Amino acid sequence: MKKPLTYISLFSSAGVGCFGFKENGFECIATNELLSKRLKIQEHNQKCKYESGYLGGDITSAEVQDQLFTEIEMWKKKHSISEPDIIIATPPCQGMSVANHKKNDELGRNSLVVESIKITKKVNPRFFVFENVRAFLTTTCTDTDGLEKTIGEAIVQNLGGHYNILSKVINFKDYGAHSSRTRTLVIGVRKDLQNISPFDIFPQKQKPKTLRELFEGLEKLNAMGDISENDIFHSFREYDVKMLPWIEKLKEGESAFQNEEKERIPHQIKDGEIVFNKSKNGDKYARWFWDREGPCVHTRNDILASQNTVHPSENRVFSIRELMLMMSIPESFTWTNVPVETLNELEAEEQKKFLKKEELNIRHCIGEAVPTGVFANIARRIKEVVNQKFLSAAELNTIIKKEELHITKNLISLIQSDFKKLGLENIYQIAEYANSSRQENAAFFTRKDIAFTVVKDLPEFKGKKKIRILEPSVGIGNFIPLLVDKYEDKDEVIFDLVDIDGNSFVVLKEILSHLKLPKKFKFNFINADFLTHQFEVKYDLVVGNPPYKKLTNSQELLAIYKGQSQNKETNNLFSFFIEKAIAIGKFVSLIVPKSLINAPEFNMTREILREQNLLKICDYGEKGFKGVKIETISFLLETSAKKISETILIESYITEAVRESKKEYLFSAQFPYWLLYRNEEFDQIFDKMKFDIFQSFRDRQITKQLTKERGKYRVLKSRNVGTNQIIEIDNYDSYIDDAEKLAVSKYLNKEGVVMVPNLTYYPRASFLPKNTIADGSVALLTLKNGSRMPTETDLEYYGTKEFEKFYRVARNYGTRSLNIDNNSVFFFGLLKTME
């Protein structure tokens, strides 16, 4: 039996918006609303499967939250769901005011927003959607840590570790409503959903209907108090007859304050004199247009004095039915437990009595709702992506082998015939893994979730209608669909796409032809070596995933690369790519090996980066590329900033966290390289020790061919090293007779040489015994600056849990970048207490 798609709705009012999820087959686990009369409307629409799902009351209270989590647990047991699919939250935003209830004995700003964040973090749904006013993200809140920050920062710092998040200010009229309503939409996709980005579930654009199209067939209401024979919700709401002259002669788009006759301008009579009302916005007592979508529907849509509430030709405010049409609320949505057919058959007086009791509540619910069509749009998109089949590695390899897709013409044929059936993500993976040159060119497939972490924080280029983007190693264009989504509102986007592999362009062009992108996206294909190609323009953005490869087979080419680069200590191509990208781009964002942040060969590259306006680093660890044993990060920088930012955003797939930190704290000159995870605990341990004591040596000569089972000198390996002891292991020992020709011989029988296993998170140390040497799995540490000799107490400390925690931070939680070199050896200090 197929599991249902499920959702939770917080601050749901009458459930108008999230009714769009019900329409699309989603099951509501729980819905919360403070006002019982609005929650009752949700019950009328049978929103929840179980009665216990209707949670009335304050969601910040322990009682209501207990009910919520009890309901979730019941669904897990009864319906075998692992977690809800989506949380929808539309919390009231109190702006800069102080909220009315206390949190941890202190008043908190926008505590209801923060509560939504906390619940989302605890529930851990696959998706979340927050909706609110235009200024939502820039409004101040008191976050869970007690600090005041913008709501946007609070969302990212609390949820960005687990979710890829997209925030946009949009007009709902373009996404499923038929009335203008500018709001903020925040969409999160959990990072373990690697083939789905927030762009995939963001509502698709839809052209709104005009009021002429929308109201076609509705009965005309010309007399005050008229109720349509066929629809009780289509009625002429009564108002003071003195206002009729104010609006009766208005043309479309005109306000009563534009009347030339004074008696027709909104006014009051005080002491026998006319006192004119004040017109602040110019949209009060204003008649709307027939051939436009509807105006923004406010909660006070019941009065002429509100904004743009007057019908295009009739002398009244819009009826409930007209408001429902503008807000894309379906006819199936009901406001009462009495069927509309029954209400339509009531006597006129009974109908008026019903409307007098219910109309204002209904109108207020409509005015504060998310248009049903917008959330229905999102619900449809979620259904599409979760029902899409993503091929496993085994299935991909089977197709590639069976169809001989390593041959380019066969791959093109498959794309042409099966693009729609397989879907873009499967096509991308097939094309990438079928590329026989991928290892040779060090080109690796960039997953959608990884590419999104790069694209989401790229600049908006506000005010620029035309931008130019360079991708220096485009491959088959994994970044392009996301960049198209990112910059869909630009008038023109020019892509210069560079790759050294001509076959990649053949495949890329075929894929682009199936995407059917608007003509404003223009593509130039440059089949060349990015590092030697001459570029004539300065790009707004350079973005991509350059090759990770040490050039060893062409000394002539390497000399050219080094000749145009500042860092001449490395042979790695990605370092050269960074320097050239900085030279030709205003903003640069690249995915590169994590060794960039700590390896000695990139000391110069880090200095170059420090000179730029670094904005963000994302640490993927080993999670960036399937089947590739390499740690990666991405960075974003600005090359021509007028002002260098003091902070940098650090996002981590390892710690599943996002935080903003001071650059001078993470990049402090007192350390040999960058420390992305530096914290107070690290600093406390750092203060206990003296550092920069040792230099490091690792053997590169001892191989199995040189060693024997017996011999003059014992060769110690990493597993032999314990804390102040040598560990004996059966059938593990090896020996060597002649050590004089080996570089490691200079440490033979030398006093105070410290052994530390290389490539481990569990540092332990012992002194090198007499008549022994060590192979490359062990780092040998010797004093370099006349410090006191290390003691067994110092070495014992290296094996403690306290130092282990310190060392993890010192090594940036690396897993493969753990060689002890002359940078990282810095962190093996000596205890100050031993002075």
Side-chain angles (χ1 to χ4, degrees):
M1 184 178 173
K2 195 174 181 181
K3 293 178 185 176
L5 286 168
T6 59
Y7 70 102
I8 290 169
S9 185
L10 305 178
F11 310 99
S12 52
S13 185
V16 170
C18 47
F19 190 74
F21 281 85
K22 179 180 172 64
E23 277 194 305
N24 281 277
F26 283 69
E27 294 273 13
C28 183
I29 291 175
T31 181
N32 164 251
E33 167 55 33
L34 185 65
L35 300 179
S36 59
K37 63 181 179 180
R38 295 181 179 178
L39 193 61
K40 211 69 177 162
I41 294 172
Q42 298 191 50
E43 292 183 39
H44 299 330
N45 285 283
Q46 300 177 329
K47 183 172 170 181
C48 293
K49 192 180 188 76
Y50 303 105
E51 193 69 28
S52 53
Y54 299 100
L55 311 180
D58 184 352
I59 193 63
T60 65
S61 71
E63 180 187 357
V64 176
Q65 290 200 14
D66 285 346
Q67 291 175 352
L68 171 62
F69 289 106
T70 298
E71 205 65 20
I72 293 171
E73 288 306 311
M74 184 267 283
W75 272 80
K76 286 181 178 179
K77 290 173 184 175
K78 206 163 187 175
H79 297 280
S80 301
I81 66 167
S82 53
E83 70 279 300
D85 289 295
I86 183 164
I87 278 183
I88 305 154
T90 56
C93 182
Q94 297 95 348
M96 299 301 289
S97 66
V98 177
N100 294 323
H101 47 275
K102 290 191 175 184
K103 291 258 177 281
N104 300 324
D105 298 321
E106 61 182 23
L107 292 173
R109 289 182 174 180
N110 289 302
S111 58
L112 299 180
V113 175
V114 176
E115 207 64 47
S116 301
I117 294 170
K118 287 163 63 179
I119 290 171
T120 301
K121 191 172 185 177
K122 189 172 181 181
V123 173
N124 196 34
R126 293 204 282 175
F127 311 96
F128 71 79
V129 176
F130 295 164
E131 181 273 348
N132 219 292
V133 296
R134 178 199 284 267
F136 180 56
L137 297 176
T138 55
T139 302
T140 301
C141 72
T142 305
D143 199 3
T144 54
D145 56 9
L147 300 177
E148 289 201 348
K149 59 188 73 164
T150 66
I151 290 172
E153 290 169 337
I155 290 172
V156 168
Q157 290 175 28
N158 283 283
L159 298 174
H162 290 272
Y163 291 88
N164 273 320
I165 300 170
L166 174 65
S167 303
K168 275 191 176 186
V169 175
I170 62 172
N171 194 320
F172 282 161
K173 72 183 178 68
D174 299 319
Y175 296 91
H178 305 291
S179 60
S180 180
R181 195 179 187 85
T182 302
R183 304 288 281 185
T184 298
L185 206 55
V186 184
I187 289 183
V189 176
R190 213 170 57 199
K191 286 180 176 176
D192 61 323
L193 304 173
Q194 295 175 350
N195 296 306
I196 303 172
S197 88
F199 286 124
D200 294 326
I201 67 168
F202 202 85
Q204 288 180 307
K205 284 197 169 182
Q206 299 175 11
K207 188 177 180 182
K209 290 182 178 180
T210 64
L211 293 197
R212 195 182 299 279
E213 296 169 309
L214 209 55
F215 295 172
E216 187 179 3
L218 288 182
E219 185 180 332
K220 290 186 177 180
L221 305 170
N222 291 315
M224 204 171 296
D226 269 1
I227 300 174
S228 170
E229 286 185 17
N230 304 317
D231 187 358
I232 189 174
F233 295 115
H234 184 45
S235 65
F236 191 134
R237 179 167 174 78
E238 296 185 32
Y239 54 87
D240 191 331
V241 290
K242 75 175 185 183
M243 297 181 182
L244 179 59
W246 302 353
I247 66 167
E248 63 182 348
K249 289 192 173 183
L250 295 179
K251 296 175 183 177
E252 293 176 35
E254 289 184 344
S255 162
F257 291 99
Q258 295 173 267
N259 282 317
E260 293 181 2
E261 300 167 69
K262 287 186 176 181
E263 64 272 17
R264 294 186 182 277
I265 297 173
H267 63 272
Q268 300 175 49
I269 305 294
K270 290 185 178 180
D271 300 325
E273 293 189 9
I274 294 178
V275 178
F276 293 108
N277 296 353
K278 291 183 178 180
S279 172
K280 293 181 180 179
N281 302 321
D283 53 8
K284 295 183 184 298
Y285 300 100
R287 192 181 293 285
W288 197 247
F289 304 85
W290 270 121
D291 295 311
R292 289 190 192 176
E293 71 282 343
C296 182
V297 178
H298 300 280
T299 53
R300 292 314 312 266
N301 55 69
D302 58 303
I303 56 175
L304 297 171
S306 192
Q307 296 150 299
N308 298 315
T309 55
V310 183
H311 187 278
S313 58
E314 297 168 28
N315 296 321
R316 59 178 176 82
V317 297
F318 294 109
S319 70
I320 289 173
R321 182 62 66 196
E322 288 165 339
L323 294 171
M324 288 176 69
L325 288 168
M326 287 190 278
M327 292 285 283
S328 58
I329 304 171
E331 209 171 326
S332 57
F333 188 92
T334 183
W335 299 101
T336 173
N337 59 343
V338 181
V340 70
E341 294 81 10
T342 304
L343 293 172
N344 288 338
E345 291 172 1
L346 294 175
E347 295 294 329
E349 286 306 311
E350 289 298 312
Q351 287 184 329
K352 286 182 179 181
K353 192 184 294 184
F354 169 82
L355 288 173
K356 187 175 181 180
K357 180 184 176 186
E358 303 291 347
E359 184 170 9
L360 275 182
N361 182 45
I362 293 170
R363 284 178 172 273
H364 291 170
C365 288
I366 294 172
E368 67 180 24
V370 177
T372 310
V374 174
F375 274 172
N377 193 335
I378 296 171
R380 284 192 297 272
R381 301 214 73 192
I382 290 175
K383 277 173 66 177
E384 287 172 10
V385 295
V386 299
N387 290 329
Q388 185 178 341
K389 176 177 168 51
F390 297 110
L391 299 175
S392 66
E395 290 170 321
L396 289 169
N397 287 326
T398 298
I399 292 173
I400 291 167
K401 191 173 180 180
K402 181 182 176 184
E403 304 294 334
E404 296 185 306
L405 299 182
H406 63 283
I407 301 171
T408 303
K409 68 175 184 178
N410 293 346
L411 179 57
I412 296 299
S413 178
L414 177 91
I415 295 171
Q416 290 171 344
S417 62
D418 290 353
F419 188 90
K420 197 167 184 181
K421 173 185 166 187
L422 289 168
L424 179 61
E425 288 312 300
N426 287 323
I427 289 290
Y428 266 140
Q429 294 205 58
I430 288 169
E432 190 72 37
Y433 292 120
N435 180 3
S436 57
S437 303
R438 62 193 296 268
Q439 292 294 340
E440 179 189 338
N441 294 327
F444 302 116
F445 177 71
T446 312
R447 288 196 325 256
K448 181 179 276 191
D449 65 305
I450 300 298
F452 182 82
T453 63
V454 172
V455 172
K456 68 182 178 184
D457 291 312
L458 295 177
E460 300 290 339
F461 296 112
K462 289 179 180 177
K464 289 197 75 170
K465 290 297 182 182
K466 176 180 176 181
I467 61 171
R468 192 157 194 151
I469 299 172
L470 172 71
E471 194 169 342
S473 181
V474 68
I476 53 169
N478 312 64
F479 283 93
I480 292 173
L482 294 172
L483 290 167
V484 165
D485 285 330
K486 173 81 176 181
Y487 297 116
E488 64 171 352
D489 294 329
K490 299 299 179 187
D491 290 346
E492 185 178 52
V493 182
I494 300 171
F495 288 88
D496 282 1
L497 307 175
V498 183
D499 207 282
I500 203 166
D501 181 4
N503 277 336
S504 289
F505 282 135
V506 176
V507 178
L508 172 56
K509 288 176 182 178
E510 185 62 40
I511 290 173
L512 289 176
S513 72
H514 288 271
L515 294 181
K516 296 182 172 60
L517 300 174
K519 289 183 179 179
K520 65 180 180 179
F521 295 103
K522 296 177 169 55
F523 299 95
N524 301 315
F525 302 93
I526 304 169
N527 185 194
D529 181 343
F530 168 72
L531 295 175
T532 57
H533 186 76
Q534 296 299 312
F535 295 91
E536 303 300 326
V537 298
K538 186 89 169 178
Y539 290 92
D540 295 294
L541 173 65
V542 180
V543 60
N545 182 13
Y548 318 152
K549 179 183 179 182
K550 287 193 174 183
L551 191 64
T552 56
N553 58 354
S554 175
Q555 291 302 311
E556 184 179 342
L557 193 56
L558 182 60
I560 294 172
Y561 294 163
K562 286 190 174 185
Q564 60 191 23
S565 301
Q566 293 180 64
N567 186 0
K568 304 183 190 304
E569 300 301 315
T570 183
N571 294 355
N572 207 310
L573 293 180
F574 83 82
S575 177
F576 304 138
F577 267 72
I578 289 172
E579 290 195 40
K580 184 154 188 178
I582 288 172
I584 61 175
K586 297 173 185 175
F587 285 87
V588 176
S589 190
L590 301 175
I591 301 175
V592 296
K594 188 174 177 177
S595 54
L596 170 68
I597 63 177
N598 63 270
E601 66 179 295
F602 304 119
N603 288 350
M604 172 60 76
T605 309
R606 286 193 294 279
E607 285 304 309
I608 294 167
L609 291 170
R610 281 288 311 269
E611 292 172 2
Q612 314 304 318
N613 187 26
L614 264 172
L615 301 170
K616 178 193 172 186
I617 292 175
C618 184
D619 182 5
Y620 308 108
E622 284 192 63
K623 298 180 181 181
F625 297 92
K626 280 183 181 176
V628 181
K629 294 179 179 180
I630 187 169
E631 294 178 276
T632 53
I633 62 165
S634 64
F635 65 82
L636 170 65
L637 60 81
E638 184 180 9
T639 64
S640 53
K642 293 178 181 177
K643 185 179 179 183
I644 302 295
S645 61
E646 294 181 357
T647 60
I648 184 168
L649 195 69
I650 304 295
E651 179 177 354
S652 174
Y653 267 57
I654 298 170
T655 60
E656 297 181 329
V658 176
R659 65 176 182 144
E660 192 169 31
S661 295
K662 293 275 189 183
K663 289 180 184 176
E664 63 181 34
Y665 181 68
L666 302 187
F667 305 154
S668 171
Q670 69 184 132
F671 303 111
Y673 52 75
W674 298 349
L675 298 178
L676 303 188
Y677 300 94
R678 185 181 172 187
N679 54 35
E680 286 183 14
E681 191 176 5
F682 174 92
D683 291 343
Q684 288 168 5
I685 297 170
F686 186 79
D687 289 340
K688 292 169 64 170
M689 307 177 75
K690 280 189 173 181
F691 292 90
D692 198 17
I693 302 296
F694 296 107
Q695 56 193 359
S696 170
F697 171 85
R698 281 178 49 239
D699 172 78
R700 296 290 195 281
Q701 296 173 289
I702 298 175
T703 61
K704 284 186 178 180
Q705 285 76 16
L706 292 179
T707 60
K708 302 183 294 185
E709 292 184 7
R710 295 281 183 273
K712 185 175 180 181
Y713 302 112
R714 185 179 180 184
V715 179
L716 296 174
K717 292 173 268 188
S718 60
R719 289 173 61 197
N720 290 125
V721 183
T723 298
N724 284 319
Q725 63 173 321
I726 301 301
I727 300 171
E728 305 296 335
I729 303 170
D730 290 342
N731 302 316
Y732 186 67
D733 286 356
S734 60
Y735 295 83
I736 196 166
D737 283 327
D738 184 7
E740 289 182 10
K741 295 179 181 178
L742 303 176
V744 72
S745 64
K746 63 184 174 183
Y747 300 101
L748 193 60
N749 296 325
K750 185 175 180 180
E751 187 183 359
V753 177
V754 177
M755 294 191 299
V756 180
N758 196 46
L759 295 175
T760 181
Y761 255 145
Y762 305 101
R764 53 201 185 274
S766 64
F767 289 110
L768 181 68
K770 289 187 175 182
N771 296 321
T772 64
I773 54 176
D775 70 4
S777 67
V778 176
L780 298 180
L781 314 187
T782 55
L783 294 175
K784 73 172 188 179
N785 56 6
S787 174
R788 69 169 175 84
M789 291 292 288
T791 67
E792 288 191 350
T793 303
D794 293 310
L795 272 51
E796 185 178 354
Y797 184 63
Y798 298 155
T800 64
K801 283 289 181 185
E802 183 175 274
F803 186 80
E804 181 193 322
K805 281 185 181 179
F806 169 85
Y807 191 65
R808 282 179 181 269
V809 174
R811 300 312 304 266
N812 284 303
Y813 289 100
T815 50
R816 296 190 179 273
S817 310
L818 286 176
N819 283 324
I820 297 174
D821 52 39
N822 282 324
N823 271 357
S824 56
V825 73
F826 173 94
F827 294 101
F828 288 93
L830 299 179
L831 292 165
K832 290 179 181 177
T833 54
M834 298 301 296
E835 293 292 318

